[in-house]
Amino acid sequence: MIDRYTRPELAEVWSDHARFEAMRQVEVAASEEMSDPTPAELDDIRAATFTVAAIAERELVTDHDTAAFVDVLSASAGPAGRWIHYGLTSSDVLDTGLALQLRRVGELVLPDSRRLVEALVARAREHRHTLCVGRTHGIHAEPTTFGIKLAGFAFEANRNARRLERAFAQASVGALSGAVGTYASTSPEFEERVLGRLGLERESVSTQVVARDRHAELLLSIALAGAGLERLATEIRHLARTEVGELQEPFAAGQKGSSSMPHKRNPIKSEQIAGLARVLRGNAQAGLENVVLWHERDISHSSVERVILPDSTILLDHLQRRAIALVEGMVVNEQRMRENLDLTHGALFSQRILLALVGTGLTRDDAYRTVQRLAQLAIDDRIPLRNLLAVDPAGAGLDLDVIFDYRPFVRYADEIVDRLDAIA
């Protein structure tokens, strides 16, 4: 992933050095669980080192990066190096090392998943009574509160955080089962001991590789989290439009919205989230394609994973941090929200009028057509619907103060927002 979106800590986890270091840890743990090396030889194995440059140079000969890594590490250990990679195959070291990397990535990424939930919960509670328009199909529907809106996003973020926790956990598994997964040169007990040293769970049955549905599940969970972030970003983008003006992204001192138009304050953070979420979905599709391997193993997945696992986890980290800053810093224009309630001149109360007319004895269809006619007239001629209903025969006897009252729309706002207590 390009530096623009990459936190240094994650760049380090996915560096070539970190990948080989994870593999080194696997090789050392395996050697420590063998009965053959002497204590002195184990000390030499633990002290063995490598450089990425040396491995790259050796790979020019081997045309196999794991073999090159083993050669360099073994040479560094001296005579004791003969025990390095003893009885193992490439995937034993590659997949178990990858599990160590994924576990570390989870440690870095998951805390911000929870921080996003907390940020949404805080803003939802802050605006539990902030009246605003609810929209369906992009058209004004009935009033809601901005807090209720944000509460829905908070619960979605919580579901995504929990999915990510499960996905990282189930992908952080190792295997040391040999060439086709039969432990011909090792044993299940040896595998269990080595993985115990590394703090990893064991793949139940590894053909030679850890099954790639695990990595696909992680990538799908990341893509789903990205979709949730995009849904939030899309809502913010819509509400930030000039014609709506209910929200504004945080705008720092010295920031410029446009190179040519000084008045612009564009929703660039939301747009970036929406754009990069597409990359996450594309990578998830590649992860699904990686599930199908030939027989016990091929390497069609390997080159793909070198791109999609670092890129997806780095982008998830970036988008989460972007979203947290967006939620915490967004400017809520409560006055504009109230003004927008009047754009349809009272048509937002159409269902309450409909129900009141049905209560007087009209059929539902007759009541519906009456309200439809009056509401459209209010919108077209910019006449308050209440005034039209007051002089229409259908409105005779109706209590307009009761009908044109915002309180019924938000009477359960506290109860709905208080449900956040379960996840906060």
Side-chain angles (χ1 to χ4, degrees), residues 25 47 222 227 251 357 359:
Q25 292 175 25
I222 290 173
F251 199 83
L357 291 177

Side-chain angles (χ1 to χ4, degrees), residues 353 356-357 360 362 366-367 370-371 373-374 388-398:
I353 303 169
L357 291 177
T360 66
L362 285 180
D366 286 343
T370 297
V371 180
R373 171 178 56 82
L374 293 174
L388 294 174
L389 187 61
V391 299
D392 192 277
L398 296 181

Side-chain angles (χ1 to χ4, degrees), residues 30-51:
S31 297
E32 289 172 332
E33 288 301 331
M34 295 177 189
S35 58
D36 298 298
T38 66
E41 287 176 322
L42 285 177
D43 286 341
D44 289 340
I45 290 171
R46 295 186 188 106
T49 60
F50 66 87
T51 67

Side-chain angles (χ1 to χ4, degrees), residues 39 50 54-55 92-93 114 140 210 217 246 275 369 379 393 405:
F50 66 87
I55 294 171
D92 290 334
V93 181
R114 300 307 314 169
H140 284 206
V210 169
E217 181 176 341
E246 295 181 2
R369 297 303 179 188
I379 294 170
D405 184 358

Side-chain angles (χ1 to χ4, degrees), residues 113-114 157-167 423:
S113 300
R114 300 307 314 169
N158 182 66
R159 291 191 296 274
N160 281 317
R162 293 172 61 191
R163 278 192 204 99
L164 288 168
E165 289 166 2
R166 294 192 299 268
I423 64 172

Side-chain angles (χ1 to χ4, degrees), residues 334-345:
E334 297 183 32
Q335 180 179 346
R336 186 63 172 268
M337 288 180 174
R338 290 302 299 246
E339 292 171 356
N340 286 344
L341 288 167
D342 296 327
L343 286 179
T344 58
H345 306 284

Side-chain angles (χ1 to χ4, degrees), residues 303-325:
S303 56
V304 183
E305 286 178 355
R306 294 186 191 213
V307 177
I308 62 177
L309 286 174
D311 282 8
S312 289
T313 53
I314 287 170
L315 282 182
L316 173 67
D317 177 68
H318 176 73
L319 296 186
Q320 286 184 158
R321 288 182 292 118
R322 268 295 211 206
I324 291 167

